[in-house]
Amino acid sequence: MILENIFKTAQADNIHLEYSEHGQGQPVLLLHGLFGNLSNWTETIAYFAQSYRVIAPRLPIYDISFRKDVLHGLADYVHALVKHLRLKDIVLVGNSLGGHLAILYTLAHPDRVKNLVLTGSSGLFESNLGVSYPKRGNFEYISEKVRYTFYNQDVVSSQLIDDVYDAVNDLRKSIGILKAAKAANRHHVGKDLGKITTPTLLIWGKQDKVTPVGVAYQFLEALGGKIELHIIDHCGHAPMMEQPDEFNRILSQYLIRTNEEASAENQDQRQIA
């Protein structure tokens, strides 16, 4: 499946939207991280588009014109997309900075989100390599930092390294990265996690060095509502890329089970009424 050439575009709330959309059914909205893009979700899209409506926006992280701080500007972007596509009962999935954004969006619009899925999410703790600004310049330095992010080195393609190198050495993009990194470091969400009662699935890489597995347990303790944690071995900061089959299996089984439970609960309520 070729993904990079199938972006749809739209204008909503004076915001230019770019997104990929595949399949039909309950919406699954995928949010990438600081250096992420649609290719991070290739296996996820291919798998879930068979049964779900899968939307993956290209987040305008490099946009330096946000009037708000970057994270809240990105939350407005996501909401504009949600309204444009008339999405409800969303399965909101976020990796790294995208997880941080998913948390903020769920806090602001809990009525739109049916399930929250966090994988390697920032918001509580992240090493400097996760959301902070990498220094520009030496290609080998950038290559080393990219490789540090992943346990499974097979996913570290030369194209991925080139993309990160180009981003941090492009003045406009580097300013956007810096603003996003600073915003992520400022917005610690710990005090607000208890307000989230949305059923939440945590999928974490056991060897994640950016948001270590202990962070997953912090989320487990702090979040309100019904929460599940699954830890994937031989996996770093991006489970959907490093162990896509296991990531897809966990998420698919979770969605099937929670949808069945919700249907049974609704049926019980109708019988009582």
Side-chain angles (χ1 to χ4, degrees):
M1 181 184 295
I2 300 173
L3 297 173
E4 289 297 340
N5 296 324
I6 55 174
F7 271 98
K8 298 179 180 180
T9 61
Q11 286 289 132
D13 296 342
N14 294 317
I15 296 174
H16 177 71
L17 304 172
E18 296 185 21
Y19 61 97
S20 165
E21 184 177 17
H22 297 272
Q24 296 180 339
Q26 182 182 9
V28 177
L29 183 56
L30 307 172
L31 304 180
H32 63 71
L34 182 60
F35 291 102
N37 56 46
L38 179 61
S39 65
N40 295 173
W41 301 108
T42 299
E43 299 293 337
T44 313
I45 294 170
Y47 184 88
F48 284 95
Q50 300 174 68
S51 304
Y52 297 85
R53 181 185 181 189
V54 185
I55 301 107
R58 177 179 285 163
L59 297 174
I61 291 172
Y62 303 140
D63 187 343
I64 61 176
S65 64
F66 287 123
R67 293 182 180 179
K68 299 181 179 181
D69 70 76
V70 174
L71 281 176
H72 286 94
L74 291 172
D76 288 346
Y77 179 93
V78 171
H79 193 50
L81 178 64
V82 167
K83 290 190 295 181
H84 173 70
L85 296 176
R86 299 180 181 180
L87 304 181
K88 60 181 181 179
D89 294 333
I90 302 167
V91 178
L92 185 57
V93 186
N95 172 244
S96 195
L97 186 71
H100 201 153
L101 176 57
I103 291 167
L104 294 180
Y105 186 83
T106 302
L107 285 166
H109 306 284
D111 56 314
R112 297 274 188 170
V113 182
K114 184 175 182 181
N115 297 98
L116 175 62
V117 183
L118 304 176
T119 179
S121 177
S122 62
L124 288 180
F125 168 86
E126 53 281 326
S127 77
N128 288 337
L129 296 167
V131 296
S132 68
Y133 179 63
K135 69 181 182 182
R136 300 163 67 186
N138 187 279
F139 182 85
E140 290 304 319
Y141 173 86
I142 299 297
S143 176
E144 177 186 343
K145 298 311 178 187
V146 172
R147 291 186 180 282
Y148 181 88
T149 304
F150 301 94
Y151 177 84
N152 181 359
Q153 295 295 301
D154 291 342
V155 305
V156 186
S157 65
S158 57
Q159 183 63 55
L160 176 61
I161 297 171
D162 287 343
D163 288 346
V164 175
Y165 179 80
D166 291 343
V168 300
N169 283 282
D170 178 284
L171 180 59
R172 180 185 65 83
K173 291 182 178 181
S174 66
I175 292 173
I177 293 167
L178 179 58
K179 291 179 70 174
K182 287 184 174 180
N185 285 326
R186 281 196 304 268
H187 288 287
H188 190 280
V189 298
K191 67 182 185 303
D192 295 320
L193 289 177
K195 301 174 185 176
I196 295 178
T197 57
T198 303
T200 301
L201 172 65
L202 306 172
I203 305 178
W204 234 260
K206 186 175 182 179
Q207 287 79 25
D208 189 341
K209 298 178 182 178
V210 178
T211 49
V213 71
V215 178
Y217 286 100
Q218 292 179 32
F219 274 112
L220 184 65
E221 291 295 322
L223 282 160
K226 187 175 182 180
I227 312 150
E228 287 188 21
L229 169 61
H230 293 260
I231 297 172
I232 300 178
D233 202 0
H234 307 296
C235 184
H237 190 52
M240 71 287 186
M241 296 173 67
E242 299 180 61
Q243 297 288 350
D245 291 343
E246 183 66 2
F247 179 89
N248 292 340
R249 183 192 67 80
I250 292 169
L251 179 53
S252 177
Q253 290 183 356
Y254 172 80
L255 294 179
I256 291 170
R257 185 173 66 256
T258 54
N259 283 334
E260 288 176 348
E261 291 171 354
S263 295
E265 183 177 339
N266 289 336
Q267 184 174 358
D268 290 344
Q269 290 175 348
R270 286 195 296 269
Q271 291 175 348
I272 292 173

